[in-house]
Amino acid sequence: MRYLYADIIATPYSEATCDILTAILNEAGFDSFEMTDTGIKAYILQDNFDEKDFRATLGTIAIPEATFTYTLHQLEDQDWNAEWEQNSFDPILEREFGIRLNPRMAFGSGSHDTTYQLTSLLLKEDFTSQRVLDMGTGTGVLGIAMAKQGAKEVVAIDIDEFSVTNALENFSLNNINNVLVLLGDASAIEGMFDTIVANIHKNILTTDMPIYVQHLMPGGTLIISGFFVDDVPDMQEVATLNKLFTIKTVKKNNWAVIVLRKA
């Protein structure tokens, strides 16, 4: 497998702009990111890349007065993994929480605030005897956290085939066998769950929340993240429309997590 990366320059540059860019490109199939002095480097499997779609995605990012330019570069997949593991990968989740990861993806490795927030939160909860769903699983880390806290069955779903493969590897690394990893979007959800966790872009959360609620047990918990603190009122409004009420909100470096309960 071959990787390529887009070296993206954001004008004017800001960390907030790069955070938005990272979140949107993650939903578009990019799985690893590096911050630069002018923007970000976004990595993707070459087989998953379509430059026309990529340009269209950049064109949908509605940040006033912001423009984006980019250059594309090819890498050998093996070389990229080795280089990132050696020079950039920080095993923060293993060091702090005992969760082992095969470092094939930056997004979901704990390097991003939303992943660290959610992992820390989940490892303080009790999922004993629960059937749980990790929607948009990425590396599988959130499913791993719930399994470690007693979940009897974990279902993990992602739209990206590479993520599914990586999640399976990481569940195995952590000796977790009570898991089903599926390729697909929210339409792949089957059955009822006690807890659903979704660390996904705001627009997808808004669209798919009725599906999550449909598969959530009465009194069940929906935990959502992947959006900014400023987006919390909008997400709570969507939750209210879907008959969910807020239990708590957690914030870290402008990113938010909302814990919701179904009546």
Side-chain angles (χ1 to χ4, degrees), residues 206-233:
T206 300
T207 300
D208 290 347
M209 197 175 293
I211 302 175
Y212 304 154
V213 173
Q214 178 185 345
H215 291 278
L216 194 62
M217 296 283 288
T221 302
L222 173 63
I223 304 173
I224 57 173
S225 188
F227 48 88
F228 295 106
V229 171
D230 289 346
D231 295 321
V232 168

Side-chain angles (χ1 to χ4, degrees), residues 174-220:
N174 290 273
N175 300 312
I176 293 169
N177 301 311
N178 57 332
V179 60
L180 175 64
V181 183
L182 302 174
L183 177 66
D185 56 17
S187 65
I189 303 174
E190 293 185 355
M192 303 299 291
F193 295 89
D194 300 286
T195 299
I196 297 174
V197 179
N199 183 19
I200 305 178
H201 187 259
K202 173 187 175 183
N203 294 342
I204 295 176
L205 289 172
T206 300
T207 300
D208 290 347
M209 197 175 293
I211 302 175
Y212 304 154
V213 173
Q214 178 185 345
H215 291 278
L216 194 62
M217 296 283 288

Side-chain angles (χ1 to χ4, degrees), residues 33-45:
F33 303 89
E34 287 183 85
M35 298 292 290
T36 69
D37 292 336
T38 56
I40 65 170
K41 292 181 181 179
Y43 295 79
I44 189 171
L45 281 171

